[in-house]
Amino acid sequence: MRNFIFRCPALGVNVQASAALRDCGEGRRYVGQRCAACGNLHLVNPDNGKLLAEDLASDAQNRPD
Ligand SMILES: [Zn+2]
């Protein structure tokens, strides 16, 4: 079980969460977290506390064109 903090995109507050992680090798992994702040389900990367949508946005910015 790993504890981590992510920012709720709906309310903009930090939410503490915990997830049981399977070791699935390389690559990013996201866990569905029931948000304690807004009650919705968010996909979060426990390694950096980022939401899936945030990671995709930064990927788009960093992509060399
Ligand atoms: Zn939320």
Side-chain angles (χ1 to χ4, degrees):
M1 206 67 130
R2 179 187 297 189
N3 294 314
F4 59 97
I5 290 177
F6 68 95
R7 194 166 68 91
C8 170
L11 300 179
V13 298
N14 288 333
V15 179
Q16 188 162 15
S18 62
L21 298 179
R22 287 171 300 173
D23 189 359
C24 50
E26 296 182 19
R28 292 174 184 160
R29 54 198 165 177
Y30 297 89
V31 294
Q33 279 292 315
R34 179 66 64 182
C35 181
C38 73
N40 287 323
L41 194 67
H42 303 310
L43 278 176
V44 189
N45 181 344
D47 290 328
N48 58 15
K50 280 191 170 183
L51 298 172
L52 174 60
E54 290 178 328
D55 265 356
L56 291 178
S58 69
D59 280 356
Q61 286 174 354
N62 294 335
R63 187 174 302 146
D65 243 357

mmCIF file with all atom_site columns, all heavy atoms in Angstrom, residues 30-57:
data_model
loop_
_atom_site.group_PDB
_atom_site.id
_atom_site.type_symbol
_atom_site.label_atom_id
_atom_site.label_alt_id
_atom_site.label_comp_id
_atom_site.label_asym_id
_atom_site.label_entity_id
_atom_site.label_seq_id
_atom_site.pdbx_PDB_ins_code
_atom_site.Cartn_x
_atom_site.Cartn_y
_atom_site.Cartn_z
_atom_site.occupancy
_atom_site.B_iso_or_equiv
_atom_site.pdbx_formal_charge
_atom_site.auth_seq_id
_atom_site.auth_comp_id
_atom_site.auth_asym_id
_atom_site.auth_atom_id
_atom_site.pdbx_PDB_model_num
ATOM 1   N N   . TYR A 1 30 ? -1.748  3.957  -13.562 1.00 0.00 ? 30 TYR A N   1
ATOM 2   C CA  . TYR A 1 30 ? -2.728  4.841  -12.953 1.00 0.00 ? 30 TYR A CA  1
ATOM 3   C C   . TYR A 1 30 ? -3.712  3.999  -12.160 1.00 0.00 ? 30 TYR A C   1
ATOM 4   O O   . TYR A 1 30 ? -4.027  2.872  -12.553 1.00 0.00 ? 30 TYR A O   1
ATOM 5   C CB  . TYR A 1 30 ? -3.479  5.634  -14.018 1.00 0.00 ? 30 TYR A CB  1
ATOM 6   C CG  . TYR A 1 30 ? -2.556  6.545  -14.787 1.00 0.00 ? 30 TYR A CG  1
ATOM 7   C CD1 . TYR A 1 30 ? -1.907  6.098  -15.922 1.00 0.00 ? 30 TYR A CD1 1
ATOM 8   C CD2 . TYR A 1 30 ? -2.328  7.839  -14.354 1.00 0.00 ? 30 TYR A CD2 1
ATOM 9   C CE1 . TYR A 1 30 ? -1.049  6.917  -16.618 1.00 0.00 ? 30 TYR A CE1 1
ATOM 10  C CE2 . TYR A 1 30 ? -1.475  8.666  -15.036 1.00 0.00 ? 30 TYR A CE2 1
ATOM 11  C CZ  . TYR A 1 30 ? -0.837  8.207  -16.175 1.00 0.00 ? 30 TYR A CZ  1
ATOM 12  O OH  . TYR A 1 30 ? 0.019   9.015  -16.859 1.00 0.00 ? 30 TYR A OH  1
ATOM 13  N N   . VAL A 1 31 ? -4.135  4.573  -11.070 1.00 0.00 ? 31 VAL A N   1
ATOM 14  C CA  . VAL A 1 31 ? -5.133  3.884  -10.268 1.00 0.00 ? 31 VAL A CA  1
ATOM 15  C C   . VAL A 1 31 ? -6.364  4.766  -10.165 1.00 0.00 ? 31 VAL A C   1
ATOM 16  O O   . VAL A 1 31 ? -6.270  5.991  -10.122 1.00 0.00 ? 31 VAL A O   1
ATOM 17  C CB  . VAL A 1 31 ? -4.602  3.554  -8.860  1.00 0.00 ? 31 VAL A CB  1
ATOM 18  C CG1 . VAL A 1 31 ? -3.463  2.545  -8.942  1.00 0.00 ? 31 VAL A CG1 1
ATOM 19  C CG2 . VAL A 1 31 ? -4.149  4.804  -8.135  1.00 0.00 ? 31 VAL A CG2 1
ATOM 20  N N   . GLY A 1 32 ? -7.496  4.150  -10.156 1.00 0.00 ? 32 GLY A N   1
ATOM 21  C CA  . GLY A 1 32 ? -8.738  4.878  -9.962  1.00 0.00 ? 32 GLY A CA  1
ATOM 22  C C   . GLY A 1 32 ? -8.917  5.171  -8.476  1.00 0.00 ? 32 GLY A C   1
ATOM 23  O O   . GLY A 1 32 ? -8.886  4.262  -7.656  1.00 0.00 ? 32 GLY A O   1
ATOM 24  N N   . GLN A 1 33 ? -9.063  6.453  -8.158  1.00 0.00 ? 33 GLN A N   1
ATOM 25  C CA  . GLN A 1 33 ? -9.212  6.849  -6.766  1.00 0.00 ? 33 GLN A CA  1
ATOM 26  C C   . GLN A 1 33 ? -10.566 7.511  -6.551  1.00 0.00 ? 33 GLN A C   1
ATOM 27  O O   . GLN A 1 33 ? -10.919 8.458  -7.256  1.00 0.00 ? 33 GLN A O   1
ATOM 28  C CB  . GLN A 1 33 ? -8.109  7.833  -6.383  1.00 0.00 ? 33 GLN A CB  1
ATOM 29  C CG  . GLN A 1 33 ? -6.793  7.170  -6.059  1.00 0.00 ? 33 GLN A CG  1
ATOM 30  C CD  . GLN A 1 33 ? -6.872  6.353  -4.783  1.00 0.00 ? 33 GLN A CD  1
ATOM 31  O OE1 . GLN A 1 33 ? -7.402  6.791  -3.782  1.00 0.00 ? 33 GLN A OE1 1
ATOM 32  N NE2 . GLN A 1 33 ? -6.356  5.144  -4.837  1.00 0.00 ? 33 GLN A NE2 1
ATOM 33  N N   . ARG A 1 34 ? -11.298 7.029  -5.601  1.00 0.00 ? 34 ARG A N   1
ATOM 34  C CA  . ARG A 1 34 ? -12.528 7.713  -5.200  1.00 0.00 ? 34 ARG A CA  1
ATOM 35  C C   . ARG A 1 34 ? -12.118 8.929  -4.388  1.00 0.00 ? 34 ARG A C   1
ATOM 36  O O   . ARG A 1 34 ? -11.484 8.807  -3.360  1.00 0.00 ? 34 ARG A O   1
ATOM 37  C CB  . ARG A 1 34 ? -13.397 6.762  -4.371  1.00 0.00 ? 34 ARG A CB  1
ATOM 38  C CG  . ARG A 1 34 ? -14.684 7.385  -3.898  1.00 0.00 ? 34 ARG A CG  1
ATOM 39  C CD  . ARG A 1 34 ? -15.618 7.709  -5.031  1.00 0.00 ? 34 ARG A CD  1
ATOM 40  N NE  . ARG A 1 34 ? -16.089 6.506  -5.753  1.00 0.00 ? 34 ARG A NE  1
ATOM 41  C CZ  . ARG A 1 34 ? -16.879 6.518  -6.812  1.00 0.00 ? 34 ARG A CZ  1
ATOM 42  N NH1 . ARG A 1 34 ? -17.291 7.672  -7.307  1.00 0.00 ? 34 ARG A NH1 1
ATOM 43  N NH2 . ARG A 1 34 ? -17.245 5.412  -7.400  1.00 0.00 ? 34 ARG A NH2 1
ATOM 44  N N   . CYS A 1 35 ? -12.416 10.094 -4.912  1.00 0.00 ? 35 CYS A N   1
ATOM 45  C CA  . CYS A 1 35 ? -11.926 11.336 -4.335  1.00 0.00 ? 35 CYS A CA  1
ATOM 46  C C   . CYS A 1 35 ? -12.680 11.666 -3.054  1.00 0.00 ? 35 CYS A C   1
ATOM 47  O O   . CYS A 1 35 ? -13.910 11.713 -3.040  1.00 0.00 ? 35 CYS A O   1
ATOM 48  C CB  . CYS A 1 35 ? -12.100 12.451 -5.354  1.00 0.00 ? 35 CYS A CB  1
ATOM 49  S SG  . CYS A 1 35 ? -11.512 14.036 -4.774  1.00 0.00 ? 35 CYS A SG  1
ATOM 50  N N   . ALA A 1 36 ? -11.908 11.924 -1.990  1.00 0.00 ? 36 ALA A N   1
ATOM 51  C CA  . ALA A 1 36 ? -12.522 12.259 -0.707  1.00 0.00 ? 36 ALA A CA  1
ATOM 52  C C   . ALA A 1 36 ? -13.106 13.664 -0.724  1.00 0.00 ? 36 ALA A C   1
ATOM 53  O O   . ALA A 1 36 ? -13.929 14.012 0.118   1.00 0.00 ? 36 ALA A O   1
ATOM 54  C CB  . ALA A 1 36 ? -11.492 12.133 0.414   1.00 0.00 ? 36 ALA A CB  1
ATOM 55  N N   . ALA A 1 37 ? -12.677 14.487 -1.676  1.00 0.00 ? 37 ALA A N   1
ATOM 56  C CA  . ALA A 1 37 ? -13.141 15.876 -1.720  1.00 0.00 ? 37 ALA A CA  1
ATOM 57  C C   . ALA A 1 37 ? -14.443 16.007 -2.505  1.00 0.00 ? 37 ALA A C   1
ATOM 58  O O   . ALA A 1 37 ? -15.401 16.613 -2.037  1.00 0.00 ? 37 ALA A O   1
ATOM 59  C CB  . ALA A 1 37 ? -12.068 16.763 -2.324  1.00 0.00 ? 37 ALA A CB  1
ATOM 60  N N   . CYS A 1 38 ? -14.465 15.462 -3.717  1.00 0.00 ? 38 CYS A N   1
ATOM 61  C CA  . CYS A 1 38 ? -15.636 15.670 -4.568  1.00 0.00 ? 38 CYS A CA  1
ATOM 62  C C   . CYS A 1 38 ? -16.448 14.403 -4.784  1.00 0.00 ? 38 CYS A C   1
ATOM 63  O O   . CYS A 1 38 ? -17.551 14.466 -5.308  1.00 0.00 ? 38 CYS A O   1
ATOM 64  C CB  . CYS A 1 38 ? -15.203 16.257 -5.919  1.00 0.00 ? 38 CYS A CB  1
ATOM 65  S SG  . CYS A 1 38 ? -14.385 15.070 -7.006  1.00 0.00 ? 38 CYS A SG  1
ATOM 66  N N   . GLY A 1 39 ? -15.903 13.267 -4.415  1.00 0.00 ? 39 GLY A N   1
ATOM 67  C CA  . GLY A 1 39 ? -16.652 12.027 -4.519  1.00 0.00 ? 39 GLY A CA  1
ATOM 68  C C   . GLY A 1 39 ? -16.593 11.366 -5.874  1.00 0.00 ? 39 GLY A C   1
ATOM 69  O O   . GLY A 1 39 ? -17.145 10.291 -6.067  1.00 0.00 ? 39 GLY A O   1
ATOM 70  N N   . ASN A 1 40 ? -15.928 12.014 -6.827  1.00 0.00 ? 40 ASN A N   1
ATOM 71  C CA  . ASN A 1 40 ? -15.787 11.417 -8.148  1.00 0.00 ? 40 ASN A CA  1
ATOM 72  C C   . ASN A 1 40 ? -14.586 10.482 -8.197  1.00 0.00 ? 40 ASN A C   1
ATOM 73  O O   . ASN A 1 40 ? -13.760 10.455 -7.284  1.00 0.00 ? 40 ASN A O   1
ATOM 74  C CB  . ASN A 1 40 ? -15.619 12.503 -9.207  1.00 0.00 ? 40 ASN A CB  1
ATOM 75  C CG  . ASN A 1 40 ? -16.920 13.229 -9.476  1.00 0.00 ? 40 ASN A CG  1
ATOM 76  O OD1 . ASN A 1 40 ? -17.989 12.631 -9.480  1.00 0.00 ? 40 ASN A OD1 1
ATOM 77  N ND2 . ASN A 1 40 ? -16.825 14.528 -9.674  1.00 0.00 ? 40 ASN A ND2 1
ATOM 78  N N   . LEU A 1 41 ? -14.496 9.762  -9.299  1.00 0.00 ? 41 LEU A N   1
ATOM 79  C CA  . LEU A 1 41 ? -13.376 8.860  -9.499  1.00 0.00 ? 41 LEU A CA  1
ATOM 80  C C   . LEU A 1 41 ? -12.337 9.557  -10.370 1.00 0.00 ? 41 LEU A C   1
ATOM 81  O O   . LEU A 1 41 ? -12.657 10.066 -11.441 1.00 0.00 ? 41 LEU A O   1
ATOM 82  C CB  . LEU A 1 41 ? -13.879 7.584  -10.181 1.00 0.00 ? 41 LEU A CB  1
ATOM 83  C CG  . LEU A 1 41 ? -12.946 6.385  -10.178 1.00 0.00 ? 41 LEU A CG  1
ATOM 84  C CD1 . LEU A 1 41 ? -12.747 5.862  -8.764  1.00 0.00 ? 41 LEU A CD1 1
ATOM 85  C CD2 . LEU A 1 41 ? -13.530 5.279  -11.050 1.00 0.00 ? 41 LEU A CD2 1
ATOM 86  N N   . HIS A 1 42 ? -11.097 9.611  -9.901  1.00 0.00 ? 42 HIS A N   1
ATOM 87  C CA  . HIS A 1 42 ? -10.015 10.201 -10.679 1.00 0.00 ? 42 HIS A CA  1
ATOM 88  C C   . HIS A 1 42 ? -8.968  9.137  -10.978 1.00 0.00 ? 42 HIS A C   1
ATOM 89  O O   . HIS A 1 42 ? -8.689  8.286  -10.137 1.00 0.00 ? 42 HIS A O   1
ATOM 90  C CB  . HIS A 1 42 ? -9.340  11.335 -9.910  1.00 0.00 ? 42 HIS A CB  1
ATOM 91  C CG  . HIS A 1 42 ? -10.279 12.429 -9.487  1.00 0.00 ? 42 HIS A CG  1
ATOM 92  N ND1 . HIS A 1 42 ? -11.149 13.035 -10.359 1.00 0.00 ? 42 HIS A ND1 1
ATOM 93  C CD2 . HIS A 1 42 ? -10.471 13.026 -8.292  1.00 0.00 ? 42 HIS A CD2 1
ATOM 94  C CE1 . HIS A 1 42 ? -11.833 13.957 -9.706  1.00 0.00 ? 42 HIS A CE1 1
ATOM 95  N NE2 . HIS A 1 42 ? -11.454 13.970 -8.456  1.00 0.00 ? 42 HIS A NE2 1
ATOM 96  N N   . LEU A 1 43 ? -8.363  9.228  -12.153 1.00 0.00 ? 43 LEU A N   1
ATOM 97  C CA  . LEU A 1 43 ? -7.250  8.352  -12.491 1.00 0.00 ? 43 LEU A CA  1
ATOM 98  C C   . LEU A 1 43 ? -5.952  9.058  -12.125 1.00 0.00 ? 43 LEU A C   1
ATOM 99  O O   . LEU A 1 43 ? -5.614  10.094 -12.699 1.00 0.00 ? 43 LEU A O   1
ATOM 100 C CB  . LEU A 1 43 ? -7.272  8.021  -13.987 1.00 0.00 ? 43 LEU A CB  1
ATOM 101 C CG  . LEU A 1 43 ? -8.222  6.911  -14.398 1.00 0.00 ? 43 LEU A CG  1
ATOM 102 C CD1 . LEU A 1 43 ? -8.210  6.746  -15.909 1.00 0.00 ? 43 LEU A CD1 1
ATOM 103 C CD2 . LEU A 1 43 ? -7.849  5.593  -13.741 1.00 0.00 ? 43 LEU A CD2 1
ATOM 104 N N   . VAL A 1 44 ? -5.220  8.500  -11.200 1.00 0.00 ? 44 VAL A N   1
ATOM 105 C CA  . VAL A 1 44 ? -4.038  9.149  -10.647 1.00 0.00 ? 44 VAL A CA  1
ATOM 106 C C   . VAL A 1 44 ? -2.828  8.237  -10.774 1.00 0.00 ? 44 VAL A C   1
ATOM 107 O O   . VAL A 1 44 ? -2.933  7.021  -10.639 1.00 0.00 ? 44 VAL A O   1
ATOM 108 C CB  . VAL A 1 44 ? -4.256  9.488  -9.154  1.00 0.00 ? 44 VAL A CB  1
ATOM 109 C CG1 . VAL A 1 44 ? -3.125  10.359 -8.629  1.00 0.00 ? 44 VAL A CG1 1
ATOM 110 C CG2 . VAL A 1 44 ? -5.580  10.168 -8.940  1.00 0.00 ? 44 VAL A CG2 1
ATOM 111 N N   . ASN A 1 45 ? -1.685  8.862  -11.038 1.00 0.00 ? 45 ASN A N   1
ATOM 112 C CA  . ASN A 1 45 ? -0.422  8.146  -11.045 1.00 0.00 ? 45 ASN A CA  1
ATOM 113 C C   . ASN A 1 45 ? 0.196   8.262  -9.652  1.00 0.00 ? 45 ASN A C   1
ATOM 114 O O   . ASN A 1 45 ? 0.635   9.341  -9.271  1.00 0.00 ? 45 ASN A O   1
ATOM 115 C CB  . ASN A 1 45 ? 0.498   8.775  -12.097 1.00 0.00 ? 45 ASN A CB  1
ATOM 116 C CG  . ASN A 1 45 ? 1.827   8.054  -12.185 1.00 0.00 ? 45 ASN A CG  1
ATOM 117 O OD1 . ASN A 1 45 ? 2.193   7.287  -11.303 1.00 0.00 ? 45 ASN A OD1 1
ATOM 118 N ND2 . ASN A 1 45 ? 2.541   8.309  -13.254 1.00 0.00 ? 45 ASN A ND2 1
ATOM 119 N N   . PRO A 1 46 ? 0.243   7.165  -8.893  1.00 0.00 ? 46 PRO A N   1
ATOM 120 C CA  . PRO A 1 46 ? 0.757   7.247  -7.525  1.00 0.00 ? 46 PRO A CA  1
ATOM 121 C C   . PRO A 1 46 ? 2.240   7.600  -7.458  1.00 0.00 ? 46 PRO A C   1
ATOM 122 O O   . PRO A 1 46 ? 2.720   8.036  -6.418  1.00 0.00 ? 46 PRO A O   1
ATOM 123 C CB  . PRO A 1 46 ? 0.522   5.835  -6.970  1.00 0.00 ? 46 PRO A CB  1
ATOM 124 C CG  . PRO A 1 46 ? -0.456  5.212  -7.887  1.00 0.00 ? 46 PRO A CG  1
ATOM 125 C CD  . PRO A 1 46 ? -0.233  5.834  -9.232  1.00 0.00 ? 46 PRO A CD  1
ATOM 126 N N   . ASP A 1 47 ? 2.961   7.419  -8.563  1.00 0.00 ? 47 ASP A N   1
ATOM 127 C CA  . ASP A 1 47 ? 4.393   7.713  -8.547  1.00 0.00 ? 47 ASP A CA  1
ATOM 128 C C   . ASP A 1 47 ? 4.655   9.205  -8.438  1.00 0.00 ? 47 ASP A C   1
ATOM 129 O O   . ASP A 1 47 ? 5.648   9.626  -7.855  1.00 0.00 ? 47 ASP A O   1
ATOM 130 C CB  . ASP A 1 47 ? 5.052   7.170  -9.816  1.00 0.00 ? 47 ASP A CB  1
ATOM 131 C CG  . ASP A 1 47 ? 5.075   5.642  -9.801  1.00 0.00 ? 47 ASP A CG  1
ATOM 132 O OD1 . ASP A 1 47 ? 5.178   5.063  -8.701  1.00 0.00 ? 47 ASP A OD1 1
ATOM 133 O OD2 . ASP A 1 47 ? 4.974   5.037  -10.877 1.00 0.00 ? 47 ASP A OD2 1
ATOM 134 N N   . ASN A 1 48 ? 3.805   10.030 -9.017  1.00 0.00 ? 48 ASN A N   1
ATOM 135 C CA  . ASN A 1 48 ? 4.054   11.467 -8.967  1.00 0.00 ? 48 ASN A CA  1
ATOM 136 C C   . ASN A 1 48 ? 2.820   12.264 -8.528  1.00 0.00 ? 48 ASN A C   1
ATOM 137 O O   . ASN A 1 48 ? 2.874   13.491 -8.476  1.00 0.00 ? 48 ASN A O   1
ATOM 138 C CB  . ASN A 1 48 ? 4.563   11.969 -10.329 1.00 0.00 ? 48 ASN A CB  1
ATOM 139 C CG  . ASN A 1 48 ? 3.585   11.661 -11.455 1.00 0.00 ? 48 ASN A CG  1
ATOM 140 O OD1 . ASN A 1 48 ? 2.431   11.339 -11.206 1.00 0.00 ? 48 ASN A OD1 1
ATOM 141 N ND2 . ASN A 1 48 ? 4.046   11.756 -12.675 1.00 0.00 ? 48 ASN A ND2 1
ATOM 142 N N   . GLY A 1 49 ? 1.737   11.578 -8.233  1.00 0.00 ? 49 GLY A N   1
ATOM 143 C CA  . GLY A 1 49 ? 0.546   12.266 -7.775  1.00 0.00 ? 49 GLY A CA  1
ATOM 144 C C   . GLY A 1 49 ? -0.190  13.021 -8.870  1.00 0.00 ? 49 GLY A C   1
ATOM 145 O O   . GLY A 1 49 ? -1.083  13.807 -8.592  1.00 0.00 ? 49 GLY A O   1
ATOM 146 N N   . LYS A 1 50 ? 0.195   12.779 -10.122 1.00 0.00 ? 50 LYS A N   1
ATOM 147 C CA  . LYS A 1 50 ? -0.440  13.492 -11.222 1.00 0.00 ? 50 LYS A CA  1
ATOM 148 C C   . LYS A 1 50 ? -1.652  12.731 -11.736 1.00 0.00 ? 50 LYS A C   1
ATOM 149 O O   . LYS A 1 50 ? -1.681  11.504 -11.736 1.00 0.00 ? 50 LYS A O   1
ATOM 150 C CB  . LYS A 1 50 ? 0.542   13.694 -12.370 1.00 0.00 ? 50 LYS A CB  1
ATOM 151 C CG  . LYS A 1 50 ? 1.491   14.850 -12.147 1.00 0.00 ? 50 LYS A CG  1
ATOM 152 C CD  . LYS A 1 50 ? 2.229   15.138 -13.429 1.00 0.00 ? 50 LYS A CD  1
ATOM 153 C CE  . LYS A 1 50 ? 3.013   16.430 -13.333 1.00 0.00 ? 50 LYS A CE  1
ATOM 154 N NZ  . LYS A 1 50 ? 3.680   16.763 -14.598 1.00 0.00 ? 50 LYS A NZ  1
ATOM 155 N N   . LEU A 1 51 ? -2.592  13.511 -12.229 1.00 0.00 ? 51 LEU A N   1
ATOM 156 C CA  . LEU A 1 51 ? -3.747  12.903 -12.865 1.00 0.00 ? 51 LEU A CA  1
ATOM 157 C C   . LEU A 1 51 ? -3.379  12.492 -14.278 1.00 0.00 ? 51 LEU A C   1
ATOM 158 O O   . LEU A 1 51 ? -2.480  13.075 -14.904 1.00 0.00 ? 51 LEU A O   1
ATOM 159 C CB  . LEU A 1 51 ? -4.897  13.896 -12.919 1.00 0.00 ? 51 LEU A CB  1
ATOM 160 C CG  . LEU A 1 51 ? -5.402  14.377 -11.563 1.00 0.00 ? 51 LEU A CG  1
ATOM 161 C CD1 . LEU A 1 51 ? -6.395  15.506 -11.765 1.00 0.00 ? 51 LEU A CD1 1
ATOM 162 C CD2 . LEU A 1 51 ? -6.030  13.255 -10.790 1.00 0.00 ? 51 LEU A CD2 1
ATOM 163 N N   . LEU A 1 52 ? -4.098  11.513 -14.780 1.00 0.00 ? 52 LEU A N   1
ATOM 164 C CA  . LEU A 1 52 ? -3.862  11.073 -16.153 1.00 0.00 ? 52 LEU A CA  1
ATOM 165 C C   . LEU A 1 52 ? -3.968  12.241 -17.125 1.00 0.00 ? 52 LEU A C   1
ATOM 166 O O   . LEU A 1 52 ? -3.140  12.399 -18.022 1.00 0.00 ? 52 LEU A O   1
ATOM 167 C CB  . LEU A 1 52 ? -4.875  9.982  -16.513 1.00 0.00 ? 52 LEU A CB  1
ATOM 168 C CG  . LEU A 1 52 ? -4.866  9.507  -17.961 1.00 0.00 ? 52 LEU A CG  1
ATOM 169 C CD1 . LEU A 1 52 ? -3.508  8.936  -18.340 1.00 0.00 ? 52 LEU A CD1 1
ATOM 170 C CD2 . LEU A 1 52 ? -5.952  8.463  -18.180 1.00 0.00 ? 52 LEU A CD2 1
ATOM 171 N N   . ALA A 1 53 ? -4.960  13.106 -16.940 1.00 0.00 ? 53 ALA A N   1
ATOM 172 C CA  . ALA A 1 53 ? -5.150  14.236 -17.846 1.00 0.00 ? 53 ALA A CA  1
ATOM 173 C C   . ALA A 1 53 ? -3.960  15.194 -17.789 1.00 0.00 ? 53 ALA A C   1
ATOM 174 O O   . ALA A 1 53 ? -3.552  15.760 -18.804 1.00 0.00 ? 53 ALA A O   1
ATOM 175 C CB  . ALA A 1 53 ? -6.438  14.973 -17.488 1.00 0.00 ? 53 ALA A CB  1
ATOM 176 N N   . GLU A 1 54 ? -3.378  15.393 -16.603 1.00 0.00 ? 54 GLU A N   1
ATOM 177 C CA  . GLU A 1 54 ? -2.223  16.285 -16.468 1.00 0.00 ? 54 GLU A CA  1
ATOM 178 C C   . GLU A 1 54 ? -1.017  15.690 -17.185 1.00 0.00 ? 54 GLU A C   1
ATOM 179 O O   . GLU A 1 54 ? -0.254  16.402 -17.837 1.00 0.00 ? 54 GLU A O   1
ATOM 180 C CB  . GLU A 1 54 ? -1.887  16.494 -14.996 1.00 0.00 ? 54 GLU A CB  1
ATOM 181 C CG  . GLU A 1 54 ? -2.906  17.324 -14.248 1.00 0.00 ? 54 GLU A CG  1
ATOM 182 C CD  . GLU A 1 54 ? -2.532  17.457 -12.777 1.00 0.00 ? 54 GLU A CD  1
ATOM 183 O OE1 . GLU A 1 54 ? -1.931  16.516 -12.222 1.00 0.00 ? 54 GLU A OE1 1
ATOM 184 O OE2 . GLU A 1 54 ? -2.836  18.485 -12.194 1.00 0.00 ? 54 GLU A OE2 1
ATOM 185 N N   . ASP A 1 55 ? -0.811  14.401 -17.041 1.00 0.00 ? 55 ASP A N   1
ATOM 186 C CA  . ASP A 1 55 ? 0.316   13.762 -17.699 1.00 0.00 ? 55 ASP A CA  1
ATOM 187 C C   . ASP A 1 55 ? 0.183   13.862 -19.214 1.00 0.00 ? 55 ASP A C   1
ATOM 188 O O   . ASP A 1 55 ? 1.145   14.121 -19.927 1.00 0.00 ? 55 ASP A O   1
ATOM 189 C CB  . ASP A 1 55 ? 0.408   12.295 -17.289 1.00 0.00 ? 55 ASP A CB  1
ATOM 190 C CG  . ASP A 1 55 ? 1.365   12.093 -16.121 1.00 0.00 ? 55 ASP A CG  1
ATOM 191 O OD1 . ASP A 1 55 ? 1.999   13.083 -15.705 1.00 0.00 ? 55 ASP A OD1 1
ATOM 192 O OD2 . ASP A 1 55 ? 1.469   10.968 -15.646 1.00 0.00 ? 55 ASP A OD2 1
ATOM 193 N N   . LEU A 1 56 ? -1.018  13.666 -19.718 1.00 0.00 ? 56 LEU A N   1
ATOM 194 C CA  . LEU A 1 56 ? -1.223  13.755 -21.158 1.00 0.00 ? 56 LEU A CA  1
ATOM 195 C C   . LEU A 1 56 ? -0.979  15.172 -21.648 1.00 0.00 ? 56 LEU A C   1
ATOM 196 O O   . LEU A 1 56 ? -0.401  15.386 -22.713 1.00 0.00 ? 56 LEU A O   1
ATOM 197 C CB  . LEU A 1 56 ? -2.653  13.308 -21.507 1.00 0.00 ? 56 LEU A CB  1
ATOM 198 C CG  . LEU A 1 56 ? -2.932  11.824 -21.297 1.00 0.00 ? 56 LEU A CG  1
ATOM 199 C CD1 . LEU A 1 56 ? -4.385  11.507 -21.626 1.00 0.00 ? 56 LEU A CD1 1
ATOM 200 C CD2 . LEU A 1 56 ? -2.011  10.949 -22.115 1.00 0.00 ? 56 LEU A CD2 1
ATOM 201 N N   . ALA A 1 57 ? -1.369  16.165 -20.860 1.00 0.00 ? 57 ALA A N   1
ATOM 202 C CA  . ALA A 1 57 ? -1.181  17.559 -21.255 1.00 0.00 ? 57 ALA A CA  1
ATOM 203 C C   . ALA A 1 57 ? 0.304   17.900 -21.292 1.00 0.00 ? 57 ALA A C   1
ATOM 204 O O   . ALA A 1 57 ? 0.775   18.567 -22.224 1.00 0.00 ? 57 ALA A O   1
ATOM 205 C CB  . ALA A 1 57 ? -1.918  18.472 -20.282 1.00 0.00 ? 57 ALA A CB  1
#
